[in-house]
Amino acid sequence: MEDEHSAECHDGTKTRPPVKRTWASATVLMLSIVFILSGFFVSWIDITTATESPGNSTQNVGYPLVCRNDTALQACPANYPATHRIKNIYKEACPEYFRWIHEDLRPWKAAGITREMLENSKEHAQFRLVIFKGKAYVEKYKPAFQTRDVFTIWGILQLLRLYPGKVPDLELMFNCDDKPLILKQDYRGLKAAEVPPLFHYCGHNTTFDVPFPDWSFWGWPEVNIEPWEDILAAIKGKAELIKWKDREPYAFWKGNYGLAETRRNLFRCNDHSRTDWKARVYAQDWRQEVTDGFKHSKLEDQCTHRYKIYVEGIGWSVSEKYILACDSMTLLIKPEFYDYFVRGMMPMEHYWPIRPNNKCRDIKFAVEWGNNRTEEAQRIGDSGTKFVEESLKLKFVYDYMFHLLSEYAKLLKFEVKVPQGVAELCSEGMACPADGLLRKFMVESMVKLPSDELPCSLPPPYDPVEFKALMERKESVTRQVEMWEAEFWKDLEKQL
């Protein structure tokens, strides 16, 4: 339309083009635009989700999910961005619990990790992950339970989309089972320098496994749990509808009780024939829930009590973050296993500590204490929720992964290689052939844009004095709670 505009500006001069030619040019140009836009629209429909693709370097360009109609021919786009120009060079500080990255990698700090050490962990792994020149390659060894491996890998692919070209080359082995497997007792003396590195969802004081964010941050379709940002918003929305003081003044837990003895023992607290232990514990029949369409298992509908109980299953449980999100005071039955973030939490600040071998008495005291000190109990609940909302926001989940993988990569003493015959894996290769909730959760949790911000600033390791002080502080607070309880039961017995 520039020619037409020029004609109007020069009205009255001899150089004004003929009207017919002006409209003809405009018509041709308009038809060309319509044709181009039509082709664009048709392509949008044919490709299923989107059509734009970023180049090797990108700025404010979205990541579409480019799916072919024939998923058998699905391939990774060749023009995934290799770099991204950062707008904001300011780094916010990572949460305190990021310091545990240094502790978890300490076994390999002195001598590093050889290929032989890596290969020795293969027998325990469901898959090997290779990141090479910003691209991911996965070699699978054995099936994982449900879609744990699928959504773990999906999360790593989203990390590469969030920080294109920034994750260093590396190889690692990943275990998707319930419990960590690399026992410390097997690597003493001369074998202390041969510890095989293995990534897992949780750790234990007796193992070397390296904790990593679990699969459910990107969705758990088998039990209809949405990706973290969506379910967190849903829980928060429902929790705000019931004021804390109007909630049931009891401790609530609902889940699969058959997994472990510690859960079966919890059901003893349901016996109110002699003493009301102030616990309301319910069994979850997941088979029935699947049949009923998950009507009675929605996490956002379970913020109806002032107190919520966390108890492990076979190992650590993903339920921890959802329980903390309810702004009820979390009664944390001391876990054997730890995930990557719980070590950044403090008793009586984010949760109330419960002893595994004294569950019912501890729960009763915690509830009685909270009901008599509602402002203090509500403050603990709010603090736990604030922790997951702020320190466990998805940006920090990705940043934890980034720093953990980056620090791990520094320890490798061998050349990273892509296994022979293993093709590149990308979001299209996983999401396009998927359907149902699997596809839905992948699309919902997919990183749409590369980050304009740098990962948060990794804090330094604990020095020995600082680390000792931290552990002693946690123990001191827990002992104080136990002393309060001893006095409570002593006074109660006097009244009887």
Side-chain angles (χ1 to χ4, degrees):
M1 300 296 288
E2 184 176 293
D3 288 342
E4 184 179 353
H5 179 70
S6 299
E8 292 174 350
C9 290
H10 294 86
D11 190 16
T13 68
K14 293 181 180 180
T15 59
R16 180 180 180 182
V19 172
K20 288 184 178 180
R21 182 178 177 183
T22 301
W23 281 106
S25 301
T27 302
V28 170
L29 185 58
M30 287 296 294
L31 287 173
S32 299
I33 293 172
V34 169
F35 178 78
I36 292 170
L37 290 177
S38 299
F40 180 84
F41 183 70
V42 170
S43 297
W44 181 288
I45 295 173
D46 288 344
I47 292 179
T48 301
T49 306
T51 54
E52 296 178 287
S53 294
N56 290 330
S57 181
T58 179
Q59 184 68 26
N60 291 331
V61 178
Y63 282 121
L65 185 66
V66 183
C67 295
R68 296 178 181 271
N69 289 329
D70 186 353
T71 56
L73 299 175
Q74 185 65 49
C76 295
N79 56 347
Y80 260 18
T83 60
H84 177 67
R85 189 171 70 252
I86 300 297
K87 285 184 177 180
N88 184 4
I89 61 172
Y90 169 76
K91 285 186 177 183
E92 64 178 321
C94 297
E96 181 75 6
Y97 68 83
F98 277 55
R99 301 181 80 174
W100 285 94
I101 288 174
H102 306 291
E103 299 303 316
D104 292 336
L105 297 177
R106 191 173 296 279
W108 304 279
K109 196 70 175 178
I113 299 170
T114 65
R115 177 164 292 283
E116 182 182 8
M117 293 161 67
L118 178 72
E119 297 300 331
N120 285 340
S121 62
K122 180 177 177 179
E123 63 177 305
H124 303 296
Q126 267 73 26
F127 65 86
R128 178 201 303 264
L129 168 72
V130 177
I131 296 176
F132 186 68
K133 295 183 178 180
K135 297 181 179 181
Y137 303 84
V138 175
E139 184 177 43
K140 292 195 175 184
Y141 301 125
K142 52 187 175 182
F145 180 67
Q146 295 182 340
T147 50
R148 290 183 183 185
D149 56 341
V150 173
F151 278 93
T152 300
I153 295 167
W154 175 259
I156 293 167
L157 293 179
Q158 303 320 299
L159 171 67
L160 299 181
R161 290 164 69 94
L162 187 67
Y163 297 125
K166 290 185 170 57
V167 181
D169 293 353
L170 59 87
E171 290 184 49
L172 63 81
M173 299 290 183
F174 206 104
N175 166 31
C176 302
D177 292 335
D178 289 297
K179 294 183 178 182
L181 299 172
I182 308 301
L183 300 177
K184 291 181 179 180
Q185 66 182 23
D186 295 338
Y187 297 94
R188 295 173 178 170
L190 295 176
K191 295 195 68 176
E194 302 174 7
V195 179
L198 184 65
F199 283 71
H200 188 44
Y201 306 122
C202 67
H204 192 278
N205 292 334
T206 64
T207 68
F208 285 117
D209 298 55
V210 180
F212 192 85
D214 73 86
W215 73 94
S216 66
F217 280 104
W218 297 274
W220 190 358
E222 289 84 359
V223 293
N224 196 36
I225 293 179
E226 296 179 314
W228 176 231
E229 288 185 316
D230 297 329
I231 191 62
L232 180 61
I235 292 173
K236 183 178 180 180
K238 280 294 187 74
E240 290 175 347
L241 297 178
I242 309 176
K243 293 182 179 179
W244 196 89
K245 65 182 181 65
D246 295 332
R247 298 183 186 184
E248 294 291 326
Y250 303 104
F252 172 89
W253 183 84
K254 186 175 184 179
N256 187 349
Y257 73 96
L259 290 178
E261 187 64 26
T262 185
R263 289 190 174 184
R264 290 189 288 271
N265 288 342
L266 181 61
F267 275 77
R268 297 177 183 175
C269 306
N270 262 351
D271 182 3
H272 306 145
S273 56
R274 294 185 179 182
T275 303
D276 185 354
W277 300 110
K278 303 297 182 180
R280 301 296 183 262
V281 183
Y282 305 91
Q284 180 71 70
D285 185 341
W286 282 111
R287 291 183 179 179
Q288 188 61 45
E289 277 303 292
V290 172
T291 302
D292 293 343
F294 303 100
K295 294 179 181 178
H296 307 293
S297 60
K298 292 182 179 179
L299 297 175
E300 61 267 34
D301 294 338
Q302 297 180 21
C303 299
T304 54
H305 292 66
R306 293 181 181 178
Y307 315 91
K308 292 197 70 177
I309 301 168
Y310 169 76
V311 59
E312 291 179 324
I314 296 174
W316 145 93
S317 170
V318 299
S319 64
E320 188 173 43
K321 56 184 175 289
Y322 307 121
I323 290 170
L324 287 163
C326 252
D327 76 32
S328 304
M329 186 171 85
T330 297
L331 309 186
L332 191 78
I333 298 176
K334 185 179 180 180
E336 268 194 68
F337 305 90
Y338 52 82
D339 57 28
Y340 79 98
F341 68 82
V342 72
R343 294 169 292 180
M345 298 170 64
M346 290 296 298
M348 299 306 290
E349 181 180 341
H350 303 108
Y351 64 89
W352 181 286
I354 301 291
R355 290 169 288 185
N357 59 351
N358 204 49
K359 295 184 188 70
C360 299
R361 289 169 67 91
D362 282 9
I363 289 171
K364 179 177 174 62
F365 171 62
V367 172
E368 296 279 9
W369 183 93
N371 287 341
N372 289 318
R373 299 168 181 80
T374 54
E375 290 186 4
E376 294 177 63
Q378 188 172 1
R379 176 190 58 78
I380 295 173
D382 288 342
S383 181
T385 297
K386 185 178 180 181
F387 180 89
V388 296
E389 287 180 347
E390 297 180 0
S391 297
L392 208 60
K393 63 183 179 181
L394 196 57
K395 166 72 161 57
F396 284 148
V397 177
Y398 285 121
D399 286 1
Y400 191 93
M401 295 162 63
F402 173 83
H403 284 302
L404 176 58
L405 295 178
S406 297
E407 294 300 308
Y408 168 80
K410 294 175 185 177
L411 302 173
L412 301 183
K413 301 299 182 182
F414 57 86
E415 181 183 355
V416 174
K417 295 181 180 179
V418 177
Q420 188 174 3
V422 176
E424 177 193 352
L425 187 60
C426 59
S427 297
E428 282 77 9
M430 295 190 72
C432 292
D435 56 15
L437 288 180
L438 191 71
R439 170 70 174 266
K440 179 176 182 290
F441 290 168
M442 284 182 176
V443 171
E444 289 176 355
S445 62
M446 186 175 67
V447 168
K448 310 298 192 299
L449 290 166
S451 176
D452 285 333
E453 299 178 355
L454 293 167
C456 61
S457 180
L458 179 65
Y462 292 106
D463 64 54
V465 175
E466 192 178 18
F467 187 79
K468 182 180 179 182
L470 175 66
M471 295 297 101
E472 288 180 349
R473 180 187 168 200
K474 289 187 176 185
E475 291 175 5
S476 176
V477 173
T478 302
R479 283 196 302 270
Q480 180 62 67
V481 173
E482 293 171 3
M483 290 173 61
W484 290 343
E485 182 178 343
E487 293 175 6
F488 167 81
W489 286 105
K490 187 176 180 180
D491 292 343
L492 192 61
E493 288 170 3
K494 285 181 180 179
Q495 296 174 16
L496 299 175

